[in-house]
Amino acid sequence: MAESTQKKLQCLIVTPETTVLDQAVDFVAIPLYDGEMGVLPGRSPVITRLGYGELRATTGNTTSRYFIDGGFLQVRGDVVSVLTSRAVPAERVDPTAARADLQKANEHVPTTPEGFEAKIISLSRARGQLEVARRAGKV
């Protein structure tokens, strides 16, 4: 089947400030709070919580990569909607800042359950950014 007639997904990445991506794609891989999920056209509907990590949107032989900072995912019809507080294109991820954040999170000693949860989130964010930077060839 020719690529022009293949079914596509519409991938939307939205932050409170802007729409980061609104593009027809062949495949999307999304970081969830408990793993990763891939979405192809025809996927059953789903709403779930996002994790911290790399979103990959593939069209043909081109893959766009973004760091996703938590949020929510909805798949409905052939529309993938990502609602997140922050989405950073891989080429704009700063690995030096991510390493500093990782070191700071590792050194933090929580004394409350809330502090422990904040440490886990900080570690996840920093590791996610470093992984996105690594895959983009920046590390």
Side-chain angles (χ1 to χ4, degrees):
M1 182 179 281
E3 185 174 334
S4 62
T5 61
Q6 288 181 342
K7 194 158 174 122
K8 300 273 188 179
L9 294 167
Q10 190 65 28
C11 184
L12 297 163
I13 302 175
V14 180
T15 69
E17 293 82 27
T18 189
T19 298
V20 176
L21 181 70
D22 184 356
Q23 179 179 358
V25 300
D26 298 324
F27 172 79
V28 182
I30 303 144
L32 302 180
Y33 74 98
D34 61 350
E36 183 179 72
M37 181 173 78
V39 179
L40 289 167
R43 169 78 168 82
S44 296
V46 65
I47 295 176
T48 190
R49 198 169 84 193
L50 294 170
Y52 307 96
E54 181 183 58
L55 179 144
R56 294 182 312 279
T58 303
T59 303
N61 293 328
T62 304
T63 299
S64 301
R65 300 172 186 278
Y66 298 84
F67 170 72
I68 300 297
D69 195 15
F72 293 91
L73 166 75
Q74 178 186 35
V75 179
R76 185 168 177 227
D78 284 323
V79 178
V80 176
S81 300
V82 174
L83 306 174
T84 182
S85 60
R86 186 169 59 129
V88 181
E91 59 273 5
R92 290 191 31 225
V93 172
D94 182 352
T96 303
R99 280 190 202 96
D101 291 345
L102 182 61
Q103 181 176 350
K104 183 178 176 182
N106 276 322
E107 292 171 354
H108 175 71
V109 179
T111 58
T112 65
E114 294 82 11
F116 181 75
E117 184 176 341
K119 178 174 181 159
I120 296 299
I121 290 170
S122 295
L123 287 169
S124 296
R125 282 183 173 139
R127 288 177 181 148
Q129 289 179 69
L130 284 171
E131 182 61 19
V132 170
R134 184 190 68 76
R135 289 185 179 184
K138 294 183 70 177
V139 177

